[in-house]
């Protein structure tokens, strides 16, 4: 059995979070019916001209900065010519000779660093829907700004590829550049993989993998290929330069096309758009938006809020959570309590929504109020959760909900002592057990009182009252 | 008023304004002339009800014709190509919006070389347009339909497009004024692209007054065209001044060297004499890279065209030939839809851009283009305007050059450089050959200095009457 080094490079395409397309003013929303977000420009009608959306440039520059790239200040586009029905001009406006960013790097949580070869802007193509004997084309996606991010072949294992994608996604989400939703297609990933003899300097034959729809799919496909290629090489076989498709159902890759049909894209500078230069000050100004990337924020959360590393992992994993946390702490300076409530009941609710954070309407300020009431005893575990459920998707007034639903915790001895006596009377068995020394039995009585108050009683007060009464 | 052929566009507008003429009668008059002269084959389509909104301008109510490569919403647009023969424009080109807002009446679309590839209109899928001065001859091209229509007074003026001389050369063949503005002066939005870095829309008129007023309407920055220049709008009618005192006129030696007809050369020398008499200074200049202009132009123009024409694939609009697979639909539709000259340019451009040839052809052509620009920059340090012939010959016979592309390409030898350098240039009528064919003189000015061209041209026009002569028609 020979030993091999795995060499992986990833090519990621992300859709940038702009309101309108890269070369026309059509919306980039996806829910809309097929071919409704289109105009003569993105349909490539004769005579139309592209106009560059500067918002796309802004986001692209932020990504390039966040990935530590050198920014090429001269910006120009090129045409990539090919006949394909989802790109109606039959050329794609892209960047070739001089990408927006070059020579960057991305650190993985394992402290490994992966080089970024290039980051460039281009327009997305439409979607083809193939039917039995005809095909349909939806041009809504045509012209969505796309950023291509190409890694160096520095990735040495499928798990590193997975970590690279996770880190990249987190950064892009953090700086608001892209949603990075692989299922929805706002992030797409192709992988190149080759094996070489351990320690050898010459690279093996490269295979391109496509059609992975999740990060896990990327890892699985790469793992499959490592196994397939090393087995083939072990048996004296040959690896062919080809493109293979990942079949997630069957968990295997299959040949799509061999590299012989290489295209000549006849790149040349797009004459419909003028070259322009981005000023140094402009780039400097954009740096403020990529100041604190996820790893930096993780460090800060640990030191500033004195939280557990595992909890911080959860908060940082979604920019929304980390932002929400910080905003809530600003209102109620109890980081630990806010954190617990976010990771507990809040996330439980969020995960129940199909589109997760998009359904959350409750402001962090109002959220902090719930945590505050919980910690000062106005709400208990149950009622706090109930308030959260009632307002998470509508941001109604917390005090009003508590009032209207009668959820404020009952802590007064006067209101509770009658109910305590009732409970004692109704549960002689528990009382007997308690007085015989089985101290746990008191919880049954606490539960009984809670039931009578519909969960509103302060369980701590109830327990104290019971103990006091039964001692007499 | 029974005969409007002797009137300029401005005079027609004034008559309409003074209620001596109705817009409707003006349109009817020219529509009748169009219908009586279909043998010229100048129009692709003329409209029963001319298109025009209620806008206002100095040319309100005057009919105008549009080259068949500028989009008019709801109207057929074909670039005189079979591949687009069933296509209707879904939007208005910016210049069309401007014409509508100015109250002009769009009366029809004019014939042209297919996709503007040519200098004779012989490559049109609708057949050649005839030169109204001699029906055996071509009107020039590619805006030959617009030039012939204006020369024959089928319409007071027209719009054309100019990539390498396509407004100026037919204007010279037909004895009218053809103006190519600086690159970026007029929005290209809605002009079906040939060579995107060279194309420019401009007016074809019988005189400089109409030319200046039409320029006022069509010029200006357009947010839909990134290559349109964000510069202040000018009132070009203020340059209609008969005064060339002190104007420095350069005559490039390279433009009078070889291949030029003696008659043409003498006519241009006549222009220089006249300008000199009126107070201009005539200076000999050098534009040393002139001889490379044609080759440079055919590489850059064809490269851009090969990409611009990729979208015509039979799938989305225009002609579709049936086939069993997608690739074959593309192939069959393009094979059937494009004419020979279009195919020639697509091949030429595709070849120039192919890997392995790109640096030797396209990149080198860009470098030469820079040198040609620099020639002009250097020249304009000493002079204000350049005077040259528009074309080495007067109108040639139909069929004479159709089988010899290279000799056809050379008929643009004097006009191409202005496109490569992005400069404004105009062809104006300056005489007739002994066969009674019009001769055109070309003036070229600095970038965005259209005013000098208008002032010089208008001054020449004031002292001559070539622009008043009309071909005899039915």
């Amino acid at each position: 059995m020979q030993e091999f080094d795995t060499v992986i490079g990833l090519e990621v395409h992300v859709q940038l979070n702009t309101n309108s397309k890269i070369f026309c003013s059509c919306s980039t929303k996806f829910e809309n019916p097929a071919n409704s977000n289109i105009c003569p420009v993105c349909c490539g009608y004769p005579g139309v001209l592209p106009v560059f959306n500067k918002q796309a440039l802004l986001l692209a520059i932020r990504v390039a900065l966040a990935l530590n790239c050198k920014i090429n200040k001269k910006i120009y586009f090129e045409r990539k010519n090919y006949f394909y029905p989802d790109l109606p001009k039959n050329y794609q406006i892209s960047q070739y000779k001089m990408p927006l960013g070059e020579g960057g790097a991305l650190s993985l949580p394992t402290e490994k660093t992966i080089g970024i070869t290039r980051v460039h802007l281009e327009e997305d193509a439409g979607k083809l829907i193939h039917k039995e004997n005809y095909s349909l084309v939806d041009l809504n996606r045509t012209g969505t700004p796309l950023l291509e991010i190409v890694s160096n072949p520095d990735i040495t294992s499928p798990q590193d590829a997975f970590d690279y994608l996770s880190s990249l996604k987190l950064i892009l989400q953090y700086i608001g550049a892209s949603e990075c939703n692989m299922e929805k297609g706002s992030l797409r990933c192709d992988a190149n993989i080759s094996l070489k003899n351990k320690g050898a300097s010459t690279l093996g034959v490269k295979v391109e993998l496509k059609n992975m729809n999740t990060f896990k799919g990327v890892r699985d496909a790469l793992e499959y290929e490592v196994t397939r290629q090393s087995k083939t090489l072990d048996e004296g076989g040959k690896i062919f330069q080809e493109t293979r498709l990942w079949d997630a159902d069957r968990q295997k890759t299959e040949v799509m096309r061999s590299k012989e049909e290489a295209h000549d894209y006849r790149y040349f500078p797009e004459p419909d758009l003028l070259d322009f230069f981005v000023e140094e000050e402009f780039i400097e100004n954009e740096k403020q938006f990529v100041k604190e990337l996820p790893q930096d924020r993780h460090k800060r959360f640990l030191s500033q809020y004195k939280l557990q590393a595992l909890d911080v992992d959860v908060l940082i994993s979604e920019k929304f959570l980390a932002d929400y946390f910080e905003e809530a702490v600003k209102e109620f300076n109890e980081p630990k309590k806010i954190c617990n409530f976010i990771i507990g009941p809040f996330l439980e609710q969020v995960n129940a929504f199909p589109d997760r954070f998009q359904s959350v309407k409750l402001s962090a300020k109002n959220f902090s109020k719930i945590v505050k009431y919980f910690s000062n005893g106005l709400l208990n575990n149950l009622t706090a959760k109930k308030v959260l459920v009632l307002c998470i998707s509508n941001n109604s007034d917390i005090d009003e909900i508590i009032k209207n639903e009668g959820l404020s915790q009952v802590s007064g001895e006067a209101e509770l002592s009658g109910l305590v006596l009732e409970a004692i009377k109704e549960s002689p068995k528990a009382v007997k057990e308690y007085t015989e020394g089985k101290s746990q039995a008191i919880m049954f009585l606490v539960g009984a009182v809670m039931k009578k108050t519909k969960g509103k009683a302060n369980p701590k007060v109830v327990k104290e009252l019971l103990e006091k009464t039964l001692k007499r | 008023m029974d005969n409007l052929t002797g009137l300029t566009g401005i005079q027609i507008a004034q008559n309409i304004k003074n209620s001596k003429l109705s817009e409707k009668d003006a349109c009817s008059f020219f529509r009748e002339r169009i219908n009586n002269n279909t043998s010229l084959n100048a129009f692709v389509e003329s409209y029963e009800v001319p298109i025009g909104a209620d806008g206002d301008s100095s040319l309100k109510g005057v009919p105008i014709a549009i080259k068949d490569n500028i989009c008019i919403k709801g109207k057929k647009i074909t670039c005189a190509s079979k591949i687009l023969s069933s296509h209707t424009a879904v939007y208005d080109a910016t210049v069309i919006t401007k014409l509508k807002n100015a109250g002009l009446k769009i009366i029809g679309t004019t014939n042209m070389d297919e996709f503007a590839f040519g200098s004779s209109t012989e490559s049109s899928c609708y057949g050649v347009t005839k030169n109204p001065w001699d029906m055996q001859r071509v009107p020039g091209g590619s805006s030959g339909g617009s030039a012939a229509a204006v020369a024959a007074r089928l319409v007071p003026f027209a719009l054309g497009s100019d990539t390498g001389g396509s407004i100026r050369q037919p204007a010279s063949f037909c004895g009218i004024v053809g103006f190519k503005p600086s690159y970026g002066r007029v929005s290209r939005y809605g002009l079906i692209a040939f060579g995107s870095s060279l194309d420019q829309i401009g007016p074809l008129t019988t005189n400089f007054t109409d030319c200046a007023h039409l320029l006022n309407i069509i010029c200006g920055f357009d947010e839909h065209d990134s290559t349109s220049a964000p510069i202040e709008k000018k009132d070009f009618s203020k340059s209609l001044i008969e005064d060339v005192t002190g104007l420095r006129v350069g005559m490039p030696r390279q433009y009078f060297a070889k291949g030029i007809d003696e008659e043409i050369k003498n006519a241009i020398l006549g222009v220089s004499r006249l300008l000199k008499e009126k107070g201009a200074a005539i200076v000999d200049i050098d534009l040393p890279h002139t001889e490379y202009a044609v080759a440079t132009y055919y590489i850059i123009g064809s490269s851009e065209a090969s990409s611009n024409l990729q979208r015509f694939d039979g799938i989305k609009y225009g002609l579709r030939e049936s086939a069993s697979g997608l690739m074959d639909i593309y192939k069959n539709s393009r094979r059937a839809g494009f004419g020979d000259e279009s195919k020639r340019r697509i091949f030429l451009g595709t070849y120039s851009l192919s890997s392995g040839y790109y640096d030797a052809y396209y990149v080198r052509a860009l470098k030469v283009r820079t040198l040609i620009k620099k020639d002009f920059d250097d020249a304009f340090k000493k002079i204000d305007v350049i005077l040259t012939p528009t074309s080495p010959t007067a109108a040639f016979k139909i069929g004479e050059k159709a089988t010899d592309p290279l000799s056809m390409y050379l008929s643009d030898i004097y006009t191409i450089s202005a496109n490569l350098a992005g400069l404004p240039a105009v062809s104006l009528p300056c005489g007739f050959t002994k066969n009674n064919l019009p001769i055109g003189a070309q003036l070229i000015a600095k970038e965005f200095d259209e005013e000098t061209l208008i002032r010089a041209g208008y001054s020449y026009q004031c002292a001559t009457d070539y622009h008043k002569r009309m071909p005899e028609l039915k």
Side-chain angles (χ1 to χ4, degrees):
Chain A
M1 185 87 169
Q2 298 182 66
E3 278 198 80
F4 298 105
D5 286 333
T6 304
V7 180
I8 297 170
L10 295 180
E11 197 180 295
V12 172
H13 286 92
V14 289
Q15 291 178 336
L16 294 174
N17 249 340
T18 55
N19 295 327
S20 55
K21 294 186 178 180
I22 186 166
F23 298 121
C24 65
S25 54
C26 288
S27 164
T28 48
K29 282 222 169 62
F30 288 107
E31 307 83 90
N32 298 359
N35 293 314
S36 57
N37 293 341
I38 56 169
C39 71
V41 176
C42 53
C43 290
Y45 266 80
V48 298
L49 298 169
V51 176
F52 181 45
N53 177 353
K54 291 276 158 66
Q55 181 69 23
L57 177 70
L58 216 84
L59 294 178
I61 285 182
R62 286 179 197 170
V63 174
L65 288 172
L67 297 176
N68 305 296
C69 288
K70 174 178 97 60
I71 308 276
N72 285 316
K73 296 196 184 78
K74 182 178 176 184
I75 308 280
Y76 73 95
F77 289 93
E78 279 142 311
R79 289 188 187 175
K80 180 183 184 181
N81 296 287
Y82 64 97
F83 284 99
Y84 211 64
D86 57 6
L87 204 62
K89 300 191 296 296
N90 286 335
Y91 57 80
Q92 182 189 33
I93 304 179
S94 181
Q95 291 188 300
Y96 178 60
K97 280 222 173 114
M98 209 190 271
L100 182 81
E102 287 179 280
L106 173 68
S107 306
L108 306 187
T110 53
E111 305 292 318
K112 267 188 209 165
T113 298
I114 307 298
I116 305 287
T117 316
R118 54 186 282 143
V119 169
H120 79 245
L121 267 167
E122 60 188 28
E123 57 181 336
D124 206 348
K127 268 186 193 160
L128 291 173
I129 300 141
H130 297 292
K131 302 284 183 180
E132 200 173 331
N133 55 356
Y134 62 95
S135 297
L136 299 169
V137 62
D138 177 3
L139 299 178
N140 279 355
R141 200 178 70 177
T142 308
T144 302
L146 213 54
L147 204 62
E148 182 174 315
I149 301 164
V150 182
S151 85
N152 290 350
D154 291 350
I155 301 168
T156 52
S157 74
Q159 181 58 40
D160 277 0
F162 184 89
D163 289 348
Y164 170 88
L165 290 171
S166 309
S167 303
L168 182 64
K169 171 180 170 174
L170 201 52
I171 289 176
L172 296 186
Q173 286 180 336
Y174 252 72
I175 59 178
S178 175
E179 283 182 28
C180 294
N181 186 328
M182 218 172 168
E183 273 103 28
K184 281 190 190 165
S186 59
L187 187 150
R188 284 163 252 158
C189 175
D190 297 338
N192 286 309
I193 176 168
S194 64
L195 299 188
K196 63 181 172 77
N197 288 329
K198 200 159 187 66
S201 57
T202 43
L203 291 169
V205 176
K206 189 172 72 176
V207 169
E208 190 180 1
L209 302 180
K210 286 180 178 290
N211 199 39
M212 292 83 79
N213 297 320
T214 57
F215 289 177
K216 189 177 165 295
V218 174
R219 187 173 57 196
D220 292 347
L222 287 168
E223 271 165 4
Y224 177 88
E225 272 302 298
V226 171
T227 311
R228 182 188 74 86
Q229 292 186 23
S230 50
K231 188 160 173 273
T232 307
L233 292 170
D234 250 349
E235 291 166 356
K238 214 179 142 197
I239 303 297
F240 297 98
Q241 188 177 343
E242 61 197 6
T243 300
R244 300 177 72 91
L245 288 185
W246 173 241
D247 184 334
D249 295 333
R250 297 165 59 210
Q251 290 284 301
K252 61 189 291 188
T253 65
E254 270 171 2
V255 184
M256 181 177 117
R257 61 165 181 250
S258 62
K259 262 289 180 232
E260 284 140 33
E261 326 157 20
H263 287 282
D264 181 354
Y265 291 117
R266 292 179 281 119
Y267 282 98
F268 76 106
E270 166 57 279
D272 287 332
L273 294 165
L274 300 178
D275 305 351
F276 64 97
F277 288 86
V278 283
E279 306 284 333
E280 187 60 47
E281 302 94 88
F282 182 82
I283 295 172
E284 280 306 312
N285 186 51
E286 287 310 305
K287 283 186 179 160
Q288 62 176 301
F289 299 101
V290 299
K291 246 190 337 220
E292 194 183 45
L293 295 175
Q295 286 178 8
D296 310 318
R297 205 174 195 187
H298 195 282
K299 280 184 201 140
R300 181 168 65 82
F301 272 29
L302 284 179
S303 64
Q304 185 178 340
Y305 300 117
K306 316 274 183 255
L307 302 172
Q308 299 288 320
L310 280 175
D311 291 345
V312 176
D313 285 350
V314 177
L315 290 180
I316 296 294
S317 70
E318 304 266 9
K319 183 168 188 289
F320 181 94
L321 281 184
D323 289 346
Y324 205 76
F325 166 79
E326 292 216 270
E327 251 183 87
V329 169
K330 255 187 235 157
E331 298 295 327
F332 180 56
N333 193 12
E334 289 283 352
K336 182 76 197 149
K337 286 176 179 160
I338 299 272
C339 173
N340 286 344
F341 213 84
I342 286 184
I343 292 176
F346 182 77
L347 262 186
E348 189 187 321
Q349 290 304 312
V350 166
N351 289 336
F353 295 131
D355 52 359
R356 307 191 71 223
F357 298 115
Q358 279 175 27
S359 301
V360 175
K361 296 287 177 291
L362 178 65
S363 70
K365 189 178 171 183
N366 277 342
F367 172 77
S368 73
K369 221 174 191 179
I370 302 177
V371 184
K372 192 163 136 192
Y373 289 163
F374 174 62
S375 83
N376 69 16
L378 184 64
L379 295 173
N380 64 31
N381 215 348
L382 286 170
T383 50
K385 234 187 232 176
K386 190 159 182 194
V387 173
L388 181 69
V389 171
L390 286 171
C391 64
I392 189 160
S393 54
N394 56 32
N395 199 28
S396 351
D397 188 272
I398 305 292
D399 295 310
E400 210 135 285
I401 289 182
I402 293 173
K403 202 175 127 209
N404 293 349
E405 302 281 324
L407 289 176
S408 84
Q409 189 159 258
V410 182
S411 306
E413 271 190 41
E415 293 145 286
L416 292 175
S417 53
L419 297 173
V420 164
L421 287 176
E422 259 180 49
I424 289 173
K425 209 167 153 191
E426 284 162 16
S427 315
K429 190 167 165 247
V431 172
K432 186 162 172 271
E433 278 174 19
Y434 178 75
T435 47
E436 280 170 0
K438 200 173 171 193
S439 59
Q440 270 309 101
I442 200 161
M443 291 321 287
F444 180 83
L445 296 166
V446 173
V449 176
M450 293 303 288
K451 216 169 178 182
K452 287 175 189 296
T453 60
K454 297 201 178 81
K456 289 183 292 184
N458 182 336
K460 217 171 123 208
V461 175
V462 172
K463 191 167 169 242
E464 280 166 13
L465 266 177
L466 278 165
E467 284 167 350
K468 219 160 84 185
T469 316
L470 288 173
K471 216 177 244 173
R472 286 198 204 121
Chain B
M1 317 197 95
D2 359 300
N3 194 344
L4 304 180
T5 52
L7 300 183
T8 64
I10 275 289
Q11 287 166 338
I12 292 169
Q14 279 160 357
N15 281 314
I16 290 170
K17 201 173 174 192
N18 301 334
S19 306
K20 287 183 190 154
L21 176 70
S22 72
E23 288 186 9
K24 192 163 165 281
D25 287 348
C27 284
S28 306
F29 174 82
F30 287 105
R31 273 191 51 76
E32 202 181 309
R33 280 187 73 79
I34 293 168
N35 291 334
N36 288 341
N37 289 285
T38 49
S39 59
L40 277 177
N41 199 25
F43 277 78
V44 169
E45 200 175 29
S46 71
Y47 307 140
E48 201 66 52
V49 183
I51 302 163
D54 303 325
D56 197 11
S57 72
S58 57
L59 292 173
K60 179 180 162 61
V62 185
I64 186 167
I66 306 295
K67 188 177 179 178
D68 193 30
N69 61 352
I70 299 174
C71 293
I72 307 165
K73 190 176 178 177
K75 292 292 176 188
K76 199 168 99 165
I77 172 141
T78 72
C79 291
S81 176
K82 257 200 281 182
I83 205 158
L84 267 182
S85 51
S86 62
H87 182 55
T88 299
V90 296
Y91 67 101
D92 274 333
T94 299
V95 290
I96 297 300
T97 307
K98 284 172 180 282
L99 291 179
K100 287 179 177 176
N101 291 340
L104 278 89
K105 297 283 178 190
I106 299 167
I107 198 167
T109 49
T110 53
N111 200 11
M112 58 186 279
D113 281 294
E114 184 182 13
F115 285 105
F117 299 145
S119 312
S120 65
T121 73
E122 286 168 293
S123 68
S124 164
C125 73
Y126 305 111
V128 67
T129 295
K130 314 274 171 33
N131 190 317
W133 293 91
D134 179 348
M135 300 286 273
Q136 308 299 311
R137 290 177 188 269
V138 301
S142 65
S143 310
S146 286
V150 174
R153 277 31 173 204
L154 308 188
V155 65
F157 37 55
L159 290 190
S161 68
D162 190 316
T163 308
S166 278
I167 288 174
R168 291 160 285 158
Q169 185 258 20
S172 96
F173 279 17
C174 293
I176 59 169
V177 176
F179 199 105
K180 181 200 93 72
S182 308
Y183 186 77
R185 258 291 180 212
V186 181
S187 169
R188 294 186 294 116
Y189 187 74
L191 167 68
I192 298 185
F194 157 6
S196 309
S197 73
L198 303 156
D199 294 343
Q200 196 61 188
I201 294 171
L204 293 103
T205 59
T206 57
N207 62 87
F208 272 92
T209 310
D210 287 353
C211 176
H213 284 270
L214 256 186
L215 283 173
N216 277 350
I217 291 165
I218 63 170
C219 288
F221 172 71
D222 177 15
E223 58 177 15
H224 294 297
D225 178 1
S226 309
T227 64
S228 81
I231 51 170
E232 209 188 328
K233 248 189 113 165
K234 289 172 180 165
D235 181 355
F236 295 115
S237 68
K238 288 191 174 142
S239 301
L240 296 167
I241 307 163
E242 189 183 354
D243 179 13
V244 289
T245 318
L247 187 77
R248 297 169 303 171
V249 180
M251 296 186 66
R253 288 186 187 91
Q254 289 77 4
Y255 282 59
F256 296 91
K258 51 185 177 196
I260 184 170
D261 272 14
E262 213 47 36
E263 278 185 294
I264 305 277
K265 188 174 170 180
N266 289 335
I268 307 305
L269 293 174
V271 176
S272 76
R273 268 195 307 276
L274 195 150
L275 292 174
K276 195 174 175 186
E277 279 164 27
K278 291 174 78 74
I282 308 295
V283 187
D284 282 337
I285 58 161
D286 275 305
L287 296 170
H289 295 93
T290 298
E291 62 173 308
Y292 306 111
V294 174
T296 303
Y297 167 80
Y298 275 92
I299 287 170
I300 293 174
S302 304
S303 295
E304 292 177 0
S306 71
S307 173
N308 286 329
L309 266 53
Q310 292 233 127
R311 72 188 67 198
F312 305 110
D313 59 10
I315 298 293
K316 293 147 302 210
Y317 28 70
L319 180 86
R320 181 190 294 184
E321 291 286 303
S322 60
S324 54
L326 183 65
M327 253 318 147
D328 288 333
I329 294 181
Y330 292 160
K331 286 179 183 166
N332 293 355
S333 303
R334 288 167 70 85
R335 184 177 295 129
F338 287 130
D340 286 351
E341 187 57 31
S342 298
K343 285 175 186 159
R344 193 175 287 125
R345 308 269 178 134
I346 292 170
F347 280 127
L348 189 58
T350 303
Y351 183 82
S352 309
L353 291 177
S354 296
S355 72
Y357 300 98
Y358 179 78
D359 288 332
Y361 290 93
Y362 185 75
V363 173
R364 176 158 288 219
L366 290 186
K367 287 178 183 163
V368 179
R369 184 177 190 174
T370 306
L371 293 175
I372 289 170
K373 268 185 197 161
K374 197 177 162 293
D375 280 358
F376 282 105
D377 289 344
D378 292 344
F380 282 120
K381 284 175 190 155
K382 296 175 289 202
I383 51 157
D384 305 305
V385 68
I386 295 172
L387 168 66
T388 79
T390 305
S391 182
T393 64
F396 46 85
K397 288 216 164 101
I398 290 168
E400 191 181 326
K401 298 188 177 184
T403 52
D404 183 0
L406 203 58
S407 78
M408 183 77 89
Y409 294 177
L410 287 172
S411 92
D412 291 333
I413 191 162
Y414 301 138
T415 45
I416 276 168
S417 296
N419 298 79
L420 288 170
L423 305 176
V426 62
S427 177
L428 50 103
C430 70
F432 286 83
T433 64
K434 56 182 184 298
N435 292 331
N436 199 36
L437 294 173
I439 300 173
Q442 177 178 233
L443 297 173
I444 307 171
K446 278 193 284 266
E447 191 179 26
F448 302 124
D449 186 16
E450 280 79 359
E451 285 121 310
T452 296
L453 296 184
I454 294 167
R455 182 159 64 95
Y458 180 75
S459 300
Y460 177 80
Q461 177 184 292
C462 288
T464 55
D465 68 352
Y466 301 118
H467 65 285
K468 287 184 182 153
R469 286 209 223 162
M470 279 184 257
E472 279 170 36
L473 288 169
K474 278 176 274 180

